[in-house]
Amino acid sequence: EIVLTQSPGTLSLSPGERATLSCRASQSVSSNDLAWYQQKPGQAPRLLIYGASSRVTGIPDRFSGSGSGTDFTLTISRLEPEDFAVYYCQQYGKSPLTFGPGTKVDIK
Amino acid sequence: EVQLLESGGGLVQPGGSLRLSCAASGFTFSTSAMSWVRQAPGKGLEWVSAISATGGSTYYADSMKGRFTISRDNSKNTLYLQMSSLRADDTAVYYCALPGSGYPIKPLDYWGQGTLVTVSS
């Protein structure tokens, strides 16, 4: 199975700052089949990005995804108060689907 | 509006069995693949299983193979997860999720609110 590693584990930033989250795969993710999810406490995850860089309808354009092969990045250009949450990457290029361990973005 | 409502969670003893259900509405269930994802308390997300629209193809995480069975009843718009030989490390919130594309191994666009399964004596 493809193992995903996310870094950092926790990112402490202030509103208005830029957040850069990394996701690395143990082998190449086919067709850039990589998604990003946001999860807030007590809520179900929400899909943000699919295909490594395509934003889901309704997701603000301050969220962007990039990368290919084994290295992927989620960037939040200017953090809003509602963006403080845990972010997971997921590969769906090969069964079994796998998730990364998550990056928590918290308020500095 | 897509709605996914899980039920069937609760307290079960180690070695026991439980069947989870997910009632779906707001989309054409019979043409949609579905998935289960779980999250242990304070931990990350773990994909459990997926099923094709017809139920003819099923997929499992290695750690669940042989113990969990995913199925569906398209006449009732309901997804199931039969869990057996349950262990303490199966304790988690179990989410039902819908891939937007209709295929099983795809991003999960819609999620239910989850049902908590606790395995303990």
Side-chain angles (χ1 to χ4, degrees):
Chain A
E1 76 177 42
I2 297 178
V3 176
L4 300 178
T5 305
Q6 290 186 244
S7 60
T10 301
L11 196 51
S12 296
L13 294 168
S14 300
E17 290 195 294
R18 181 184 188 90
T20 303
L21 289 65
S22 174
C23 176
R24 178 164 289 179
S26 60
Q27 55 187 275
S28 185
V29 176
S30 61
S31 304
N32 291 336
D33 286 339
L34 193 286
W36 291 93
Y37 297 82
Q38 176 194 68
Q39 188 179 33
K40 297 179 181 178
Q43 295 184 16
R46 178 172 71 147
L47 178 65
L48 303 175
I49 301 283
Y50 62 94
S53 60
S54 297
R55 243 185 336 267
V56 171
T57 302
I59 299 302
D61 61 7
R62 64 180 180 272
F63 290 92
S64 64
S66 63
S68 64
T70 60
D71 290 298
F72 299 88
T73 300
L74 175 70
T75 301
I76 311 171
S77 58
R78 292 172 310 279
L79 282 163
E80 297 288 339
E82 61 268 28
D83 299 337
F84 292 93
V86 180
Y87 293 84
Y88 296 94
C89 59
Q90 177 211 35
Q91 70 79 25
Y92 53 93
K94 188 176 178 181
S95 182
L97 289 172
T98 49
F99 288 93
T103 290
K104 183 178 182 181
V105 179
D106 66 13
I107 300 177
K108 188 173 182 181
Chain B
E1 179 193 2
V2 171
Q3 291 198 1
L4 301 170
L5 185 60
E6 303 94 337
S7 61
L11 178 63
V12 60
Q13 292 192 335
S17 299
L18 206 58
R19 188 177 83 158
L20 305 182
S21 300
C22 172
S25 61
F27 64 101
T28 307
F29 183 75
S30 61
T31 61
S32 301
M34 297 293 297
S35 266
W36 288 99
V37 177
R38 72 181 184 181
Q39 186 169 35
K43 302 297 184 184
L45 302 171
E46 182 179 24
W47 176 75
V48 173
S49 183
I51 189 168
S52 64
T54 63
S57 296
T58 57
Y59 309 81
Y60 297 93
D62 288 345
S63 60
M64 273 66 110
K65 258 181 215 175
R67 297 191 303 124
F68 290 9
T69 302
I70 191 171
S71 63
R72 62 192 297 156
D73 186 337
N74 285 349
S75 69
K76 294 182 178 178
N77 285 359
T78 302
L79 175 72
Y80 302 102
L81 184 68
Q82 178 69 47
M83 305 184 293
S84 61
S85 303
L86 285 163
R87 313 184 295 232
D89 63 359
D90 293 317
T91 294
V93 173
Y94 285 73
Y95 293 102
C96 164
L98 167 66
S101 71
Y103 295 96
I105 306 300
K106 289 296 180 185
L108 301 169
D109 290 63
Y110 300 95
W111 297 65
Q113 282 307 300
T115 187
L116 176 63
V117 172
T118 303
V119 184
S120 175
S121 54

